[in-house]
Amino acid sequence: MKIGVLTGGGDAPGLNIAVYTFVKLAERKHEVYAIFHGWKGLLNKEVKRVTSVDLLDFAFTGGTYIKTSRTNPFKDEERAKTLAKNVEELSLDVVVAIGGDDTLGAAGEAQRRGILDAVGIPKTIDNDVWGTDYTIGFDTAVNEAVKAAESFKTTLISHERVGVVEVMGREAGWIALHTGLATMADFVLIPEREVSWDFVAERVKKAYEAKRWALVVVSEGIKSYGGPVDEFGHVRLGGVGNELAAFLEKKTGLETRATIPGHIIRGAPPSAFDRVLAVRYATAAYEAVEEGKFGVMTAYRDGEISYIPITEVVGRNKLVSGPWLKLYETYWGNSE
Amino acid sequence: MKIGVLTGGGDAPGLNIAVYTFVKLAERKHEVYAIFHGWKGLLNKEVKRVTSVDLLDFAFTGGTYIKTSRTNPFKDEERAKTLAKNVEELSLDVVVAIGGDDTLGAAGEAQRRGILDAVGIPKTIDNDVWGTDYTIGFDTAVNEAVKAAESFKTTLISHERVGVVEVMGREAGWIALHTGLATMADFVLIPEREVSWDFVAERVKKAYEAKRWALVVVSEGIKSYGGPVDEFGHVRLGGVGNELAAFLEKKTGLETRATIPGHIIRGAPPSAFDRVLAVRYATAAYEAVEEGKFGVMTAYRDGEISYIPITEVVGRNKLVSGPWLKLYETYWGNSE
Amino acid sequence: MKIGVLTGGGDAPGLNIAVYTFVKLAERKHEVYAIFHGWKGLLNKEVKRVTSVDLLDFAFTGGTYIKTSRTNPFKDEERAKTLAKNVEELSLDVVVAIGGDDTLGAAGEAQRRGILDAVGIPKTIDNDVWGTDYTIGFDTAVNEAVKAAESFKTTLISHERVGVVEVMGREAGWIALHTGLATMADFVLIPEREVSWDFVAERVKKAYEAKRWALVVVSEGIKSYGGPVDEFGHVRLGGVGNELAAFLEKKTGLETRATIPGHIIRGAPPSAFDRVLAVRYATAAYEAVEEGKFGVMTAYRDGEISYIPITEVVGRNKLVSGPWLKLYETYWGNSE
Amino acid sequence: MKIGVLTGGGDAPGLNIAVYTFVKLAERKHEVYAIFHGWKGLLNKEVKRVTSVDLLDFAFTGGTYIKTSRTNPFKDEERAKTLAKNVEELSLDVVVAIGGDDTLGAAGEAQRRGILDAVGIPKTIDNDVWGTDYTIGFDTAVNEAVKAAESFKTTLISHERVGVVEVMGREAGWIALHTGLATMADFVLIPEREVSWDFVAERVKKAYEAKRWALVVVSEGIKSYGGPVDEFGHVRLGGVGNELAAFLEKKTGLETRATIPGHIIRGAPPSAFDRVLAVRYATAAYEAVEEGKFGVMTAYRDGEISYIPITEVVGRNKLVSGPWLKLYETYWGNSE
C-alpha cells in the first residue's frame, strides 16, 4: 500500500513522535509518504516518500516537522476535485490525518465521498476533541502551564500580590481546570461555568486573607469576558487575563498582576505521557490500516485505546463535564 | 471526626499534594492530624494537628513533608497492640494511608482487625500496585527517566556509541516500558519477558547499523540478571545496567556506556499528571470518608476514579500485561 | 554584632540563597535578624532573629522568603527619623541590603547619614546595576527567556511564521541581548540602539526567505515604541511585543505572532550560576562585615568578586556597551 | 579562504552553537567545511562544505552534530604525514579546533609544524582547560548536577538519610565545587584537597544532627579513593560515590545512599551561559582568523574574551585554586 501521513491545525507537542512511530511500523511492509502542510499539501502535491531514519532527527522535538496548515480541502468543489485528482495521481491508498476537529472533519468527508481511506489521530493542546479523553499535546501544555504558574507564584508570594494566569482553551476549560487542580489555585474560570467576576473577587479576597497571596487561573474562552475588542472597537491585545487582573485589583484593592504564557506552552518538548500516547495512537492507527478499518479515529476511552467513527466526532467539542465538572464544583463551586 | 493522614514506603512526587488536598477538604468539617513517619508514627505517637495553611509551603514539592518509613505495625503482636492502644488514646476515627503494597496492606489489616477505619491511596513510582492503572509518582518518574535518556542520547549520537539506561522497577517493567516507548528505544528489557542477552545484542547491532547509535532501556528487576552479588560474593554496586553494557560491548564490539539515573527520578517536582491524580485521589478519599466507605483504596480504572477493597489489592503486583504487553511485543518482540 | 538582612525591589531568583548563606556564615559569631519587606520592615520593626536552619526550607527556591517592598525610607525626613530611631532601638550594628538601584541607594544614604553600617549585594533580573558585570537573578531570567524562545520557535517553524519575544529590560537591553545571542535570533531590539522598525522588517524578510521562519527578540524598554498608551489614550495592554508583531505582519505580509513570557522568567528556581553568584556575594558581604568595610557593594568585576563604594553605583544604570555592544553590532548592526 | 571546523574529545553542550555561529559569520566571506569526527576526520578526509542553514536544525541541541573522536593525529609520524598531505589536498587554510587539552594540543602541534593555521576554542564540562575561566559545557553540566542533587535531596529529607552525589571531574574539582556551593552541601570532596573520610563522616554526623539529613558532593577524581579496581582486582563499577556512601553509612550509622548522574549531565540542552559563551568564543575565533592571529585559543579572562597562545595552554590542567579554593575552605575547610 501507499500510505500518506499529514498533520493539520495548530501544532502540538507529540506530533513528530506519532508520525515517526507510524512510519516505523508501516515501512516494514508499505511505502509511506509525508504530506507536507496538512491538507494543503495534498492540494499542492507536496508529498515525499520517507523512512523512519529520515524522520529520526526530529522525532522527539515539539512542533511538526512535516509542517501544518489550516487549509480545508472541501471549502469549495474545485478544491475537492483537486484533492480527488491528486490522491488518484499519487496512488495513495490511505491517509493518516493527525489533527483536531477541522483536520479530522476533512478526513471524514474524504472517506464519505470515497476519495480515500482515512484513519484519524486526535491532537490539540485544548483537549476538546469529542470521543476521546486525551489528545496529543494536552499533557505537555498543562505541564508547561503549571510550571509557568509555579514560577509566577514565587513572585506573588514575595510581593504579596494576587496573580492571574491566562491559559489557552477557546471552547473548553480543560487546560485551565487541570492547571487549577495541579496548583490548587484559589479560583479557576472555565467556559463551561458562568461566574460573576464579583464572586471571583470575593473568593480571592478570602484566600488572600488566609495567606497573603492568591492565584487565579482563567481560560481565554470564558464567556463573561467581553471579547477581543473593547467598547471603542480597539483590539484588546492583552486578553482576558489582563482585564480580569485589572478588575480584581480595582475590586479587592489588592495589587494584582497577570501573566499569559501563550504560545510558549504549545512548543515545549513533549511530556512522557504525550510521547506514550502518540506511540499508542500511531500503533493503533497502523493496526486499523492493516485491518482495513477506515473512517475511524483512534481514541482513549475507558482507560484504553480504541476506535470511534470520525463522523461521530466532528462538529462538536468535548467540554468539561461529569466527574471533572464535579471536581470543579468541589473546589470552586458556588455552593460552598 | 478526627482523621489521621500518613505516607509510607519510598517517597514519590505528588505525596505532598495528596496530603495537602485531603487536609484542605477535610478541615472544613473535621480535625485532621498528620501522622509522621508512616505507620511508625502511630507506634510512636508522632501525631500533630495540621491545617492546609500549615502544609502550603511544601504542598507542591517532591518528597513527603510528613516523612515516611517502611515500618510494618503488624510485624508482631506487641506492635499491633501498641497500634490499637495509640489509635484509641488519640481518638482517631479514620486513617488515610498513602503508600504502596506494604503500607496499604497494614491499612487493610488494621481495618480487618477493627483497630481503625482506613482509606488507602496508591503511591509508588514503580506503578505496580494491583487494582489501579496509575499510582502517584509514576508519571513524574517516567518523565525524569525520559529526560535522562534524551540527554544520554546526545552523547551516544556524538560519540556513535551504544547506551544502556537502567531504570527502577523491581517487580514490574512499567517505568522501563514507558521510557522505552517514549524514546522509541532500540530495545527494552522488562521483568515480565524473558529474553536472552544475545538476542538483545543482535537487535542492538542491527539498530546501530541503521543509525550509528543505539539505546537500550533496562528495568533493574529483570530476571536474566544474576543479581546484586557476583560469583565471588562481591556486591555488584553498579547493577544490571553496567553488566548489560559490558556484555553488549563485548558481544557487539561497539563502544557501550551505561547510565543509572537512580534516586534522581523519584525526587523531581511532581508532573502535572501526578499533581492532578493526587488531587483526584485525595478528593475521592475524602468522599469515601464522608460516606463511611472504609477498607477501600482509591483507584484509576477504566479512565475514572473509583474504589477497590484493599484486601483485593495487597499481596500481589500489577505486572505489564494485556494491551501494554502487546505494545511491548510490537516493538521488541521475538517474532519480528 | 547584631546584623540585619533585607531584600528590596522586585524579587529575583537567588535572593533566598544569598540570605541563607550570609546567615549561615554570620551566625557562627553574631546575632542575625531578618528584616521583612525590605526597608519598610525597618520602618515597621518587622524584624526577627533567624538561624540558617530556620531558612533552610526556602533557601533554594525562587522569590524572597523574607519578602520585599519598594518603600524608600528616605522619601521624607519623618521616615528617615523613624528609620534612625528603629535602628537604634533594635541595636542593629550592620544591615546587609540586597537589591537594585533604589534599595542600594537607601543603604548608601543610611551609611552617609551615619544611621547604620551597610553592605550591599546587587540583585535585579535586568542586570543594569552599575559597577558589576552580574547581578543575582539575571542568569536565571535569561535561561527562562531562552527556554520560552526555543518553545516558541517550534511553533514558528511548524506554521512557518515570524515570532516576536518581548522580554524584560526597561532601561537596559541585557536580557534581550543575551536571549538573542543564545538563540542566534534574526533580530534583537535593545534600548541602547535606535533602529527603525522598517529596518527590522527588512531583516526579518531576508531571514524568512532563507529558512521560512524568523525570530525577533525585543526589550520592553526600547525607545522606538510609543509607550504604554496609544493615540486614543487607551492602555496598550499587550505592550511593545504585540505592537511590533502587528507592524511586522503588516509590513512583511508574513504571519507574525508575539509572546510575552513576562513574570514567568523572574520566578523560576535559580540557575547554578545565580546560586553560586549568590553564595559568592554573601560570602564577600560577610567578609566585608568582619573587616569593617562598610558603605560598599559586592561586585563581579574582571572575573572576580570585589567591592565598590555604594555611592559610585547608585543613580545610574549599566547599559549595554563596549564588547557587548560590539557583539550586538556584529549580528544586528546597520552596516552589514 | 577555506576554513575547516572540528570538535574533538568528549561531547559538551554548546558545541553545536559554536560551530553554527562560526559558520554563520565566516560564510559571509569564506568557504567553510565541517570536519567530521575531530582530527580523525582530517586523517580520513571526512570533510564537507557546510552553510549555516545546513546546521540550523541542530544548532541549539546538546552533543556535537559534526561528531567527535579522541584520535591524536600526532600519535606517530605516519599519521602526521597523512594529516599534512590531506590538509594540502583539501587546500584548507585554517582549522578551528574546538576541544579540550588533547584536541587543542594537536592544533598547537599542527601550527608549530606549519601544517596549518589553527585557532582553538576551549570546551570541556570539567572546566579544567588552562588559561581560561570557563569552557563550553561546564555551566550546563553544573546546572544538571544541581538539578540532580536537588531531586535527590527531596528523597533524603523524606527518608531522613545521608546522600552522596558523585559528579564528573577527573583532575579538577570544578563541577563538585560548584554543585556543592549551589546546594550549600554539607561536605564537598575535590581532588585539590586531601581529606580523610573520617573527617567527612564527622562533618556529616554534625550536619545530620542539625537537620536530620545531609548531602555530600564528591568529584570522581579524588585521590583518597582507591581507584576503579578493588583489592581483589575486581572492577568497582559504581565508583567512588558508592564506596563513600558505604563508608559513611558504616561510620556514622546513618542510612546513606549514593547517586551518580554520570553521562546525563553532559547531554542536556545547553544553558544560556554556555550558549552565549559559545557565541562569544566563535565570534572571537572568527575575528582571529580575519586578523591572521593563529596558534591561539579564545579564552575568558578577567571577565572578558581574549586570546592565549595554545602552547601556553596544553599539557596542564587548571585546578581549583585562589579565591575558589578559599571559598572551599570557608565552607568545608579543616580549620573551622
Side-chain angles (χ1 to χ4, degrees):
Chain A
M1 276 195 272
K2 285 190 170 183
I3 310 172
V5 185
L6 64 81
T7 57
D11 67 317
L15 286 175
N16 285 328
I17 297 175
V19 173
Y20 171 75
T21 304
F22 183 85
V23 172
K24 201 173 166 70
L25 280 177
E27 72 188 355
R28 296 176 181 180
K29 297 198 199 163
H30 309 285
E31 289 179 23
V32 194
Y33 294 80
I35 300 164
F36 289 84
H37 294 105
W39 290 108
K40 190 166 75 176
L42 266 187
L43 298 175
N44 297 343
K45 284 196 176 173
E46 289 185 84
V47 171
K48 199 180 137 190
R49 178 133 187 219
V50 287
T51 68
S52 60
V53 170
D54 298 337
L55 300 169
L56 188 58
D57 288 335
F58 302 91
F60 303 97
T61 61
T64 171
Y65 175 65
I66 60 171
K67 304 293 189 292
T68 184
S69 75
R70 298 190 189 275
T71 303
N72 175 4
F74 296 105
K75 204 189 162 191
D76 51 49
E77 279 311 303
E78 204 181 339
R79 279 196 186 175
K81 271 183 207 158
T82 306
L83 181 75
K85 189 170 68 78
N86 288 357
V87 169
E88 178 135 1
E89 286 176 14
L90 293 163
S91 315
L92 283 179
D93 298 291
V94 181
V95 166
V96 174
I98 315 177
D101 196 52
D102 294 341
T103 305
L104 296 169
E109 182 63 13
Q111 179 82 42
R112 199 188 61 80
R113 295 192 185 204
I115 295 174
L116 48 72
D117 281 329
V119 177
I121 293 178
K123 164 251 47 156
T124 157
I125 61 165
D126 287 359
N127 203 35
D128 61 357
V129 173
W130 183 267
T132 183
D133 287 357
Y134 292 108
T135 54
I136 294 173
F138 171 63
D139 184 68
T140 307
V142 173
N143 269 294
E144 295 304 309
V146 168
K147 269 185 230 162
E150 287 291 354
S151 286
F152 194 30
K153 264 169 63 176
T154 71
T155 284
L156 301 179
I157 295 169
S158 300
H159 289 267
E160 301 182 333
R161 285 175 182 157
V162 175
V164 175
V165 183
E166 177 190 321
V167 295
M168 288 181 170
R170 216 156 282 178
E171 309 295 335
W174 293 107
I175 296 180
L177 175 60
H178 280 248
T179 304
L181 289 170
T183 58
M184 272 284 110
D186 296 299
F187 208 81
V188 174
L189 292 92
I190 56 174
E192 289 88 347
R193 268 286 167 269
E194 285 295 322
V195 66
S196 83
W197 288 16
D198 285 323
F199 179 66
V200 180
E202 263 172 58
R203 292 288 293 260
V204 161
K205 216 165 171 179
K206 212 172 130 192
Y208 189 94
E209 276 157 19
K211 55 196 168 75
R212 299 196 63 75
W213 63 274
L215 179 71
V216 174
V217 180
V218 60
S219 194
E220 58 172 337
I222 59 164
K223 283 162 198 66
S224 49
Y225 172 56
V229 177
D230 72 14
E231 65 261 52
F232 306 98
H234 296 295
V235 177
R236 301 196 221 220
L237 288 166
V240 60
N242 282 317
E243 295 261 326
L244 180 57
F247 176 89
L248 291 176
E249 179 158 313
K250 205 169 162 187
K251 192 77 184 184
T252 64
L254 301 166
E255 201 180 12
T256 306
R257 291 284 185 282
T259 201
I260 306 173
H263 287 275
I264 297 166
I265 71 171
R266 77 179 317 134
S271 69
F273 185 92
D274 270 333
R275 287 160 170 254
V276 174
L277 187 67
V279 169
R280 292 168 85 187
Y281 278 161
T283 310
Y286 176 66
E287 285 165 2
V289 170
E290 279 298 295
E291 295 165 17
K293 197 181 285 173
F294 296 119
V296 297
M297 179 187 86
T298 61
Y300 184 103
R301 292 160 74 94
D302 303 331
E304 305 227 336
I305 305 300
S306 58
Y307 304 99
I308 183 171
I310 292 177
T311 47
E312 284 186 29
V313 167
V314 298
R316 46 181 174 167
N317 291 307
K318 180 189 63 187
L319 302 182
V320 173
S321 66
W324 288 108
L325 200 52
K326 193 173 159 238
L327 209 49
Y328 177 89
E329 298 291 351
T330 300
Y331 293 99
W332 306 291
N334 227 318
S335 52
E336 189 203 342
Chain B
M1 275 194 273
K2 284 189 170 185
I3 310 172
V5 186
L6 64 82
T7 58
D11 66 318
L15 286 175
N16 286 329
I17 298 175
V19 173
Y20 171 75
T21 304
F22 183 85
V23 172
K24 202 172 165 70
L25 280 177
E27 72 189 354
R28 296 176 182 179
K29 297 197 203 165
H30 309 285
E31 288 178 23
V32 195
Y33 293 81
I35 300 165
F36 288 86
H37 295 105
W39 289 109
K40 190 166 75 177
L42 267 186
L43 298 175
N44 297 342
K45 283 196 177 174
E46 290 184 82
V47 172
K48 197 180 137 190
R49 178 135 188 217
V50 287
T51 69
S52 60
V53 170
D54 298 336
L55 300 169
L56 186 58
D57 288 334
F58 302 91
F60 303 96
T61 61
T64 172
Y65 174 65
I66 60 171
K67 303 291 189 293
T68 183
S69 74
R70 297 189 190 277
T71 302
N72 176 3
F74 296 104
K75 206 189 162 192
D76 51 48
E77 280 311 302
E78 202 181 342
R79 279 197 188 175
K81 269 182 209 158
T82 307
L83 182 73
K85 188 171 67 79
N86 289 355
V87 169
E88 177 135 0
E89 287 174 14
L90 294 162
S91 316
L92 283 180
D93 298 291
V94 181
V95 167
V96 174
I98 315 179
D101 197 52
D102 294 341
T103 305
L104 297 169
E109 182 63 13
Q111 179 82 44
R112 199 187 62 80
R113 297 193 184 203
I115 296 173
L116 49 72
D117 281 328
V119 176
I121 293 178
K123 165 251 46 157
T124 156
I125 61 164
D126 287 0
N127 204 34
D128 60 357
V129 172
W130 183 268
T132 182
D133 286 357
Y134 292 109
T135 53
I136 293 173
F138 172 63
D139 184 68
T140 306
V142 173
N143 269 296
E144 294 304 308
V146 167
K147 268 185 231 163
E150 288 290 353
S151 286
F152 194 30
K153 265 170 64 177
T154 73
T155 284
L156 301 179
I157 295 169
S158 300
H159 288 269
E160 300 181 333
R161 285 175 182 157
V162 176
V164 175
V165 183
E166 177 190 321
V167 294
M168 288 180 170
R170 216 158 282 181
E171 308 295 334
W174 293 107
I175 295 180
L177 174 61
H178 280 248
T179 304
L181 289 170
T183 58
M184 273 282 112
D186 296 299
F187 208 83
V188 174
L189 292 92
I190 56 175
E192 290 86 348
R193 268 286 166 269
E194 286 295 321
V195 66
S196 83
W197 287 17
D198 285 323
F199 179 66
V200 180
E202 265 173 58
R203 292 289 294 262
V204 161
K205 216 168 173 177
K206 212 172 129 192
Y208 189 91
E209 276 158 20
K211 55 195 169 77
R212 299 195 64 74
W213 62 274
L215 179 71
V216 174
V217 180
V218 59
S219 193
E220 59 172 338
I222 58 164
K223 285 162 196 64
S224 50
Y225 172 57
V229 176
D230 71 14
E231 65 261 53
F232 306 98
H234 296 294
V235 176
R236 303 195 220 221
L237 287 165
V240 62
N242 282 319
E243 294 260 328
L244 181 57
F247 176 89
L248 292 176
E249 178 157 311
K250 205 171 165 188
K251 191 79 183 182
T252 63
L254 300 166
E255 202 179 13
T256 306
R257 291 282 186 284
T259 202
I260 306 174
H263 287 276
I264 298 166
I265 71 172
R266 77 179 316 134
S271 70
F273 185 92
D274 271 333
R275 287 161 170 254
V276 174
L277 187 67
V279 169
R280 292 167 85 186
Y281 278 162
T283 311
Y286 176 66
E287 286 164 2
V289 170
E290 279 298 294
E291 295 165 19
K293 196 181 284 173
F294 297 118
V296 297
M297 178 188 86
T298 62
Y300 184 103
R301 294 160 73 95
D302 304 329
E304 305 227 336
I305 305 301
S306 57
Y307 304 99
I308 183 171
I310 291 177
T311 48
E312 284 186 30
V313 167
V314 299
R316 46 181 173 168
N317 291 307
K318 181 189 63 186
L319 302 182
V320 172
S321 66
W324 287 108
L325 199 53
K326 193 173 158 238
L327 208 51
Y328 178 89
E329 298 291 352
T330 300
Y331 293 100
W332 306 292
N334 227 319
S335 54
E336 190 203 345
Chain C
M1 274 194 274
K2 285 188 171 186
I3 309 171
V5 186
L6 64 82
T7 58
D11 66 319
L15 286 175
N16 286 328
I17 298 175
V19 173
Y20 171 75
T21 304
F22 182 86
V23 173
K24 201 172 165 69
L25 280 177
E27 72 189 355
R28 296 176 182 180
K29 298 197 203 162
H30 308 286
E31 288 178 24
V32 195
Y33 294 79
I35 300 164
F36 289 85
H37 294 105
W39 289 109
K40 190 166 74 177
L42 267 186
L43 298 175
N44 298 342
K45 284 197 178 172
E46 292 183 81
V47 171
K48 199 181 137 189
R49 178 135 187 219
V50 287
T51 69
S52 61
V53 170
D54 297 338
L55 299 169
L56 186 58
D57 289 333
F58 302 91
F60 303 96
T61 62
T64 171
Y65 174 65
I66 60 172
K67 304 290 188 293
T68 184
S69 75
R70 298 189 189 277
T71 302
N72 176 3
F74 296 104
K75 206 189 161 193
D76 50 49
E77 281 311 302
E78 202 183 342
R79 279 197 188 176
K81 269 182 208 159
T82 306
L83 182 74
K85 188 172 66 82
N86 288 354
V87 168
E88 177 135 1
E89 287 176 13
L90 294 163
S91 316
L92 283 180
D93 299 290
V94 181
V95 166
V96 175
I98 315 177
D101 197 53
D102 294 340
T103 304
L104 296 168
E109 183 63 13
Q111 179 83 43
R112 199 188 62 80
R113 297 192 184 203
I115 296 174
L116 47 74
D117 281 328
V119 177
I121 293 179
K123 165 252 45 157
T124 156
I125 61 164
D126 287 1
N127 203 36
D128 61 356
V129 173
W130 182 268
T132 183
D133 287 357
Y134 293 108
T135 53
I136 294 174
F138 171 63
D139 183 68
T140 307
V142 173
N143 269 295
E144 294 304 308
V146 168
K147 268 185 231 162
E150 288 290 354
S151 286
F152 194 29
K153 264 170 63 177
T154 71
T155 284
L156 301 178
I157 295 169
S158 300
H159 288 269
E160 300 182 333
R161 285 174 182 156
V162 175
V164 175
V165 183
E166 177 190 321
V167 295
M168 288 179 170
R170 216 158 281 179
E171 307 295 334
W174 293 108
I175 295 179
L177 174 60
H178 279 249
T179 305
L181 290 170
T183 58
M184 273 283 112
D186 296 298
F187 208 83
V188 174
L189 292 92
I190 56 175
E192 288 87 348
R193 268 287 165 268
E194 284 295 320
V195 66
S196 83
W197 288 16
D198 285 323
F199 179 65
V200 181
E202 264 173 57
R203 291 289 294 263
V204 161
K205 216 168 172 177
K206 213 172 129 192
Y208 189 92
E209 275 157 21
K211 55 193 168 77
R212 300 194 63 74
W213 62 274
L215 179 71
V216 174
V217 180
V218 60
S219 194
E220 59 172 337
I222 60 165
K223 285 163 197 63
S224 50
Y225 172 58
V229 177
D230 72 14
E231 66 261 53
F232 305 98
H234 297 294
V235 176
R236 304 195 221 220
L237 288 165
V240 62
N242 282 317
E243 295 261 327
L244 181 57
F247 176 88
L248 291 175
E249 179 158 311
K250 204 171 164 186
K251 192 78 184 182
T252 64
L254 300 165
E255 201 179 14
T256 306
R257 293 281 186 284
T259 201
I260 306 173
H263 288 275
I264 297 167
I265 72 172
R266 79 180 315 135
S271 70
F273 185 92
D274 271 332
R275 288 161 170 254
V276 174
L277 186 67
V279 169
R280 292 168 84 187
Y281 278 161
T283 310
Y286 176 67
E287 286 164 1
V289 170
E290 280 298 294
E291 295 164 18
K293 196 181 286 175
F294 297 118
V296 297
M297 178 187 86
T298 62
Y300 184 104
R301 293 161 73 95
D302 303 330
E304 306 228 336
I305 304 302
S306 57
Y307 304 99
I308 183 170
I310 291 177
T311 47
E312 285 186 29
V313 167
V314 297
R316 47 180 173 169
N317 291 307
K318 180 189 63 186
L319 302 183
V320 173
S321 66
W324 287 108
L325 200 53
K326 193 174 158 239
L327 208 51
Y328 178 90
E329 297 293 350
T330 301
Y331 294 100
W332 306 291
N334 227 317
S335 52
E336 189 204 342
Chain D
M1 275 196 273
K2 285 189 170 184
I3 310 171
V5 186
L6 64 82
T7 57
D11 67 318
L15 286 175
N16 286 328
I17 297 175
V19 173
Y20 171 76
T21 303
F22 183 85
V23 172
K24 201 173 166 71
L25 280 177
E27 72 188 354
R28 295 176 181 180
K29 297 197 200 164
H30 309 286
E31 289 178 23
V32 195
Y33 294 80
I35 300 165
F36 289 84
H37 294 106
W39 290 107
K40 190 167 76 177
L42 266 186
L43 298 175
N44 297 342
K45 283 196 176 174
E46 290 184 83
V47 172
K48 198 179 136 191
R49 178 135 187 218
V50 287
T51 68
S52 61
V53 170
D54 298 337
L55 299 170
L56 186 58
D57 288 335
F58 302 91
F60 303 97
T61 61
T64 171
Y65 175 66
I66 61 172
K67 304 291 189 293
T68 184
S69 75
R70 297 189 189 276
T71 302
N72 175 4
F74 296 105
K75 204 189 162 191
D76 52 48
E77 279 312 303
E78 203 182 341
R79 278 197 188 176
K81 271 183 207 159
T82 306
L83 182 74
K85 190 171 66 78
N86 288 356
V87 169
E88 178 135 1
E89 287 175 14
L90 293 163
S91 315
L92 283 180
D93 298 292
V94 181
V95 166
V96 175
I98 315 177
D101 196 53
D102 294 340
T103 305
L104 296 168
E109 183 62 14
Q111 180 82 42
R112 199 188 61 81
R113 296 190 185 206
I115 295 174
L116 48 73
D117 281 329
V119 177
I121 293 177
K123 165 250 49 154
T124 157
I125 62 165
D126 286 0
N127 203 35
D128 60 358
V129 173
W130 183 266
T132 183
D133 286 357
Y134 292 108
T135 53
I136 294 173
F138 171 63
D139 183 67
T140 307
V142 173
N143 270 294
E144 295 303 309
V146 168
K147 269 186 231 162
E150 287 290 354
S151 286
F152 194 30
K153 264 168 63 176
T154 71
T155 284
L156 301 179
I157 295 169
S158 300
H159 289 267
E160 301 182 332
R161 286 175 181 158
V162 175
V164 175
V165 183
E166 177 190 322
V167 296
M168 289 181 170
R170 216 157 282 180
E171 309 295 335
W174 293 107
I175 296 180
L177 174 60
H178 280 248
T179 305
L181 289 170
T183 59
M184 273 285 111
D186 296 299
F187 208 82
V188 174
L189 292 92
I190 57 174
E192 290 86 349
R193 268 287 167 269
E194 286 295 322
V195 67
S196 82
W197 287 17
D198 284 324
F199 180 66
V200 181
E202 263 172 58
R203 292 288 293 261
V204 161
K205 215 166 172 178
K206 210 171 129 193
Y208 189 92
E209 276 158 20
K211 55 195 170 75
R212 299 196 62 75
W213 62 274
L215 179 71
V216 174
V217 180
V218 60
S219 194
E220 58 172 338
I222 59 165
K223 283 161 199 68
S224 49
Y225 172 57
V229 177
D230 70 16
E231 65 260 54
F232 305 98
H234 297 294
V235 177
R236 301 195 222 220
L237 287 166
V240 61
N242 282 317
E243 294 261 328
L244 181 57
F247 177 89
L248 292 176
E249 179 159 310
K250 205 170 161 186
K251 192 79 183 182
T252 63
L254 300 166
E255 201 180 13
T256 306
R257 292 282 186 282
T259 201
I260 307 174
H263 287 275
I264 297 166
I265 72 171
R266 77 180 316 134
S271 70
F273 185 92
D274 271 331
R275 287 161 170 253
V276 173
L277 186 67
V279 168
R280 293 167 84 187
Y281 279 161
T283 309
Y286 176 67
E287 286 164 3
V289 170
E290 280 297 294
E291 295 165 18
K293 196 180 286 173
F294 297 118
V296 297
M297 179 188 85
T298 61
Y300 184 103
R301 292 161 75 93
D302 303 331
E304 305 229 336
I305 305 300
S306 58
Y307 304 99
I308 183 171
I310 292 177
T311 48
E312 285 186 29
V313 167
V314 298
R316 47 181 174 167
N317 291 307
K318 180 190 62 186
L319 301 182
V320 173
S321 65
W324 287 109
L325 200 53
K326 193 173 158 238
L327 209 49
Y328 178 89
E329 298 292 351
T330 301
Y331 293 101
W332 306 291
N334 227 318
S335 53
E336 188 203 345

